Amino acid sequence: MRFFRDTKIDFIGRRKIFFGISLAIIIIGLVFLLINKGPKYGIDFSGGVSLELDITPVNENGKVIEIQDVRDVLEEEGIEGAEIQDIKSAENRSLILVKTKATETEGEKISARIVNVIKKHFPDNVDPENLIRLQEEVGPKIGEELKGKAILAIFWALLGIILYIWWRFEFTFGVAAVIALFHDILITVGILSITGTEFSLPIVAALLMIVGYSLNDTIVVFDRIREDLKVYRRESYESVINHSINETLNRTIITSLTTFIVVLSLYIFGGTVIHDFAFAMLIGVIVGTYSSIFVASPLMVEHFNRRQKKMGGKRK
């Protein structure tokens, strides 16, 4: 299947426009990170309790509970600062997600306290067998340990990738690939911050997968560039890279589109457990595809031109 045939798009000639777009998105994301005083950590890293509750009326004509009603009764019972979200359900059920930073209150586990409050104030919306759909609890100390391990996992993964790129390709390829990876991570983290998505272990897993996915796309283009540099020796460096991007464009778009459709299905039908992971992956697939076409290879041209200028040599 081919979406594009014999394209001759001048990606390299317009590279400064795309660099400007990337820079603007990165700056906006960093501004939001500064405003929010860093990423918004989920209970995996900050500690706390997360409860997904089914408060669908037991009887057909029962009253549907509003989020504010739940918030009011929790505060009335001394459970302050709980975050309560409405969850969309494909089964048309009334689901809520309750999160608190505390794990205990007055010597009692806060998860049990919340469940008891819901049972006490909304008996017509409680089916004991189906009330609790998901329950997570992480202590503050464990959260700090997980945060440290997550940072180490990202560090070692990036270091391994950098060493691999340097070993497999020339220095110029390695520099461009590494900058493109940081570009993808910065934009993804920035968009997650803008949308208020919590950073949790699934998000860390998504970031690592984005790095791998983006790198795979970039390497395919780089491989073609390496081959074309041998075949089209009389053409300029910019022309060869433009040629290579156009040659791999169809493959890049089809691969990204099929991956995007799969991740979109996870996002829509995967449920709350995998929702944030799928959202991060959706951003990553788009950004990774963008960077492999509009950032990584054009960066090679910039690096090549500057090196040639420094060496006083003439470009082909």
Side-chain angles (χ1 to χ4, degrees):
M1 182 169 64
R2 292 189 69 85
F3 287 148
F4 306 100
R5 291 183 183 277
D6 303 325
T7 55
K8 294 180 180 177
I9 303 170
D10 184 12
F11 295 104
I12 301 303
R14 299 183 178 92
R15 63 184 183 278
K16 291 187 178 176
I17 297 173
F18 301 120
F19 289 163
I21 293 171
S22 293
L23 190 62
I25 297 172
I26 289 171
I27 290 173
I28 292 170
L30 291 176
V31 168
F32 268 86
L33 275 172
L34 286 173
I35 292 171
N36 296 331
K37 297 179 181 176
K40 182 182 177 185
Y41 291 112
I43 64 168
D44 289 344
F45 299 134
S46 63
V49 170
S50 176
L51 275 174
E52 184 179 316
L53 302 175
D54 184 344
I55 52 172
T56 306
V58 177
N59 300 315
E60 287 186 6
N61 298 323
K63 181 187 174 185
V64 176
I65 302 174
E66 300 294 333
I67 293 291
Q68 190 59 46
D69 296 334
V70 178
R71 185 172 289 114
D72 290 343
V73 296
L74 290 179
E75 289 180 356
E76 186 183 315
E77 296 286 345
I79 302 172
E80 304 282 347
E83 290 182 30
I84 307 168
Q85 301 170 12
D86 200 4
I87 300 175
K88 291 179 182 176
S89 167
E91 302 160 351
N92 200 27
R93 301 192 68 80
S94 295
L95 308 178
I96 58 169
L97 185 66
V98 183
K99 294 182 179 179
T100 69
K101 298 292 183 187
T103 54
E104 292 186 0
T105 177
E106 298 174 0
E108 182 183 6
K109 279 191 172 293
I110 203 161
S111 54
R113 181 78 175 271
I114 292 170
V115 170
N116 288 334
V117 168
I118 297 294
K119 285 180 177 177
K120 175 184 172 184
H121 288 270
F122 308 109
D124 295 335
N125 296 68
V126 173
D127 177 354
E129 292 185 359
N130 298 317
L131 176 61
I132 303 174
R133 289 171 57 96
L134 174 71
Q135 180 173 345
E136 290 179 288
E137 183 173 332
V138 180
K141 190 175 179 182
I142 298 297
E144 283 298 320
E145 287 180 11
L146 290 174
K147 192 191 295 182
K149 288 178 180 177
I151 292 171
L152 278 177
I154 293 174
F155 171 78
W156 287 116
L158 286 175
L159 182 63
I161 287 168
I162 290 169
L163 291 175
Y164 170 73
I165 291 288
W166 249 294
W167 168 72
R168 179 166 174 182
F169 295 97
E170 296 172 10
F171 179 76
T172 307
F173 288 82
V175 170
V178 170
I179 294 175
L181 288 181
F182 278 103
H183 163 278
D184 298 346
I185 294 297
L186 282 174
I187 289 183
T188 304
V189 170
I191 293 175
L192 292 176
S193 180
I194 291 169
T195 56
T197 304
E198 290 184 344
F199 278 68
S200 57
L201 288 177
I203 290 293
V204 173
L207 292 177
L208 292 174
M209 289 190 69
I210 289 166
V211 167
Y213 176 83
S214 174
L215 184 68
N216 181 57
D217 240 8
T218 303
I219 283 179
V220 169
V221 180
F222 281 4
D223 265 335
R224 182 57 60 91
I225 291 173
R226 189 165 55 179
E227 292 170 6
D228 285 348
L229 283 171
K230 296 174 184 173
V231 176
Y232 304 104
R233 293 183 178 180
R234 295 188 176 181
E235 291 190 21
S236 69
Y237 197 76
E238 296 180 7
S239 174
V240 172
I241 291 184
N242 240 338
H243 190 73
S244 301
I245 299 174
N246 278 287
E247 280 183 339
T248 54
L249 185 62
N250 190 66
R251 176 263 170 208
T252 301
I253 297 299
I254 289 176
T255 304
S256 301
L257 190 60
T258 51
T259 308
F260 186 85
I261 292 170
V262 171
V263 180
L264 184 63
S265 300
L266 283 177
Y267 179 75
I268 296 172
F269 304 110
T272 53
V273 174
I274 208 167
H275 188 267
D276 287 349
F277 170 83
F279 179 60
M281 282 298 297
L282 283 175
I283 300 168
V285 170
I286 295 170
V287 177
T289 306
Y290 172 85
S291 72
S292 66
I293 298 172
F294 300 106
V295 177
S297 303
L299 276 173
M300 287 178 58
V301 174
E302 285 293 325
H303 184 267
F304 178 84
N305 288 347
R306 292 187 182 193
R307 192 174 63 179
Q308 290 293 98
K309 192 175 179 181
K310 189 181 286 185
M311 293 170 65
K314 294 180 180 178
R315 281 185 288 158
K316 288 180 181 179

